[in-house]
């Protein structure tokens, strides 16, 4: 559920104010003129980009490996023209503005959003650690939901991987992969919240309960990738699935006698704090620290707590089963 927080907010706000929507910065005539000049000459002000010669000489789009490595001419022209305009705005006493739905952030080692990448990578590490710890524990317990949590772990790791990639190199293909992995995680998280909270252990009943949601999730993913990347519709779907499972877990924690239910409350409260941070949406401090990066940071402890609950749940169910057998 900690990853749920990440997915809801990313889909809701990143797509609501999407990376490809017009913003004040990218409709600035001086910014646009700078880009046109840069793509013609390979220079953005005093900075000349050597790899732009490839585009100028060959009059064709750079190879995919150059785009993925953030060394394609159009991307670098946009970045350096943005830096140039922001310096000019700052000298005139104006604050930063958004470009293509995002605040202007400094690149580090070519990474578009370095702190978001770093925090996503830490979240990835915590998910991998949680998966491995649960896998080792699973050998010693009799837990009816072990297979489901293994799948959840895989989807969480996959989502974190594409989060790292997308924040490193924001382009159409990485956006689709990040979006797809996020929707898949959300859909499966909703399924597992229903199965666990209603204590559904019978396989036919599990199939009956999960099939409609599974089919809807797959259909939604196919729609986004093969028909239309409708950010507005995707936002509504993901927020609905996310809020639904948060409510399910919260209600279950309220009526359950589970010894570790307090951890669920911590994650639910932490998710609320994270949503507040994302809603703040303040300009980046020092060109690096923005609300989105801080929000990514909050998911790290939430991930640790959530995997701790999963392990506690496995131990509790095993203990309860052994108690009944005796």
């Amino acid at each position: 559920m900690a990853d749920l927080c990440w997915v809801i907010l990313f889909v809701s706000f990143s797509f609501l104010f999407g990376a490809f929507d017009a913003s004040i910065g990218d409709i600035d005539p001086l910014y646009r003129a700078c880009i046109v000049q840069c793509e013609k000459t390979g220079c953005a002000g005093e900075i000349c980009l050597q790899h732009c010669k490839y585009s100028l000489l060959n009059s064709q789009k750079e190879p995919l490996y150059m785009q993925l490595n953030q060394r394609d001419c159009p991307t670098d022209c946009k970045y350096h023209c943005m830096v140039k305009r922001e310096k000019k705005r700052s000298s005139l006493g104006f604050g930063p503005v958004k470009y293509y739905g995002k605040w202007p952030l400094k690149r580090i080692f070519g990474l578009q959003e370095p702190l978001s990448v770093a925090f996503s990578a830490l979240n990835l590490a915590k998910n991998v650690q949680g998966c491995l710890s649960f896998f080792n524990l699973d050998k010693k317990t009799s837990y009816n939901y072990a297979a489901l949590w293994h799948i959840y772990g895989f989807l969480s790791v996959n989502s974190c991987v594409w989060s790292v990639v997308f924040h490193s190199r924001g382009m159409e293909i990485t956006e689709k992969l990040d979006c797809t992995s996020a929707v898949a995680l959300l859909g499966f998280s909703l399924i597992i919240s229903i199965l666990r909270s209603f204590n559904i252990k019978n396989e036919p009943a599990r199939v009956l309960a999960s099939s409609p949601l599974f089919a809807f999730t797959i259909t939604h993913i196919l729609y986004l990738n093969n028909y239309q990347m409708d950010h507005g519709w995707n936002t509504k779907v993901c927020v609905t699935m996310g809020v639904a499972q948060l409510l399910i877990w919260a209600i279950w924690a309220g009526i359950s006698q589970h010894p570790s239910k307090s951890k669920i409350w911590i994650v639910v409260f932490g998710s609320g704090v994270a949503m507040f941070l994302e809603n703040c949406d303040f300009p980046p401090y020092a060109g690096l620290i923005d609300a989105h990066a801080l929000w990514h940071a909050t998911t790290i402890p939430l991930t640790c707590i959530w995997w701790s609950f999963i392990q506690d749940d496995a131990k509790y169910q095993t203990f309860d089963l052994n108690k009944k057998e005796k």
Side-chain angles (χ1 to χ4, degrees):
M1 187 165 62
D3 298 286
L4 159 68
C5 169
W6 179 89
V7 173
I8 295 174
L9 291 172
F10 173 79
V11 174
S12 299
F13 294 100
S14 178
F15 287 146
L16 188 60
F17 308 104
F20 301 99
D21 292 342
S23 299
I24 295 176
D26 53 90
I27 61 175
D28 180 352
L30 294 177
Y31 171 75
R32 289 182 174 272
C34 175
I35 292 177
V36 172
Q37 184 67 19
C38 179
E39 291 181 348
K40 286 181 178 179
T41 64
C43 295
E46 298 178 354
I47 299 176
C48 291
L49 310 172
Q50 295 299 319
H51 54 279
C52 277
K53 293 180 179 180
Y54 179 94
S55 178
L56 295 171
L57 293 175
N58 293 277
S59 298
Q60 63 184 37
K61 194 174 182 179
E62 288 87 343
L64 181 60
Y65 77 88
M66 291 182 70
Q67 298 178 52
L68 289 173
N69 197 36
Q70 287 297 305
R71 293 201 45 90
D72 61 300
C73 189
T75 299
D76 278 349
C77 282
K78 289 178 180 178
Y79 172 73
H80 289 290
C81 285
M82 177 189 73
V83 172
K84 178 184 175 183
R85 285 298 300 144
E86 284 304 304
K87 286 182 178 179
K88 183 64 176 177
R89 287 179 58 83
S90 179
S91 67
L92 296 174
F94 296 108
V97 294
K98 288 186 176 182
Y99 295 78
Y100 306 100
K102 296 183 178 182
W103 290 109
L105 295 171
K106 294 179 181 178
R107 287 184 184 178
I108 297 180
F109 302 117
L111 303 177
Q112 287 182 337
E113 301 175 55
L115 286 186
S116 290
V117 171
F119 292 140
S120 293
L122 286 173
N123 199 12
L124 170 62
K126 290 300 178 183
N127 270 296
V128 171
Q129 183 183 39
C131 287
L132 294 176
S133 298
F134 180 70
F135 180 78
N136 293 329
L137 177 66
D138 183 36
K139 300 176 182 178
K140 307 173 185 177
T141 59
S142 300
Y143 189 40
N144 292 319
Y145 302 92
L148 294 174
W149 286 119
H150 286 313
I151 297 173
Y152 169 85
F154 170 78
L155 292 175
S156 295
V157 169
N158 179 64
S159 183
C160 288
V161 167
W162 291 115
S163 172
V164 171
V165 173
F166 176 70
H167 287 299
S168 301
R169 306 168 178 86
M171 50 193 296
E172 184 179 0
I173 187 172
T174 57
E175 181 199 23
K176 283 188 175 182
L177 289 168
D178 184 58
C179 176
T180 298
S181 62
V183 172
L185 176 59
L186 259 179
F188 189 78
S189 296
L190 178 56
I191 290 173
I192 201 171
S193 69
I194 294 172
L195 298 182
R196 179 61 189 96
S197 60
F198 287 95
N199 201 29
I200 302 175
K201 300 178 182 179
N202 183 271
E203 285 301 322
R206 286 185 175 184
V207 172
L208 184 63
S210 61
S211 292
L213 287 171
F214 180 80
F216 176 79
T217 302
I218 295 299
T219 302
H220 182 62
I221 290 173
L222 292 174
Y223 172 82
L224 293 176
N225 285 277
N226 298 298
Y227 182 68
Q228 180 183 5
M229 182 59 78
D230 189 336
H231 299 318
W233 167 244
N234 188 53
T235 296
K236 294 175 183 177
V237 169
C238 292
V239 169
T240 300
M241 290 196 296
V243 171
Q245 57 194 281
L246 279 175
L247 288 174
I248 289 172
W249 282 116
I251 294 172
W252 180 79
I255 63 177
S256 173
Q257 299 300 316
H258 199 288
S260 297
K261 64 181 182 180
S262 60
K263 294 182 179 180
I264 292 181
W265 287 114
I266 293 173
V267 172
V268 170
F269 177 76
S271 299
V273 172
M275 289 181 184
F276 172 77
L277 281 174
E278 185 73 8
N279 269 310
C280 290
D281 193 31
F282 53 81
Y285 177 74
L288 292 171
I289 306 173
D290 63 343
H292 191 65
L294 290 179
W295 164 62
H296 271 293
T298 63
T299 65
I300 299 169
L302 295 179
T303 296
C304 297
I305 295 171
W306 187 240
W307 276 109
S308 176
F309 165 75
I310 294 171
Q311 294 183 49
D312 289 348
D313 191 42
K315 295 174 184 177
Y316 173 70
Q317 191 177 82
T318 301
F319 174 78
D320 192 50
L321 182 62
N322 292 336
K323 185 178 178 180
K324 290 179 179 179
E325 290 179 350
K326 291 180 179 178

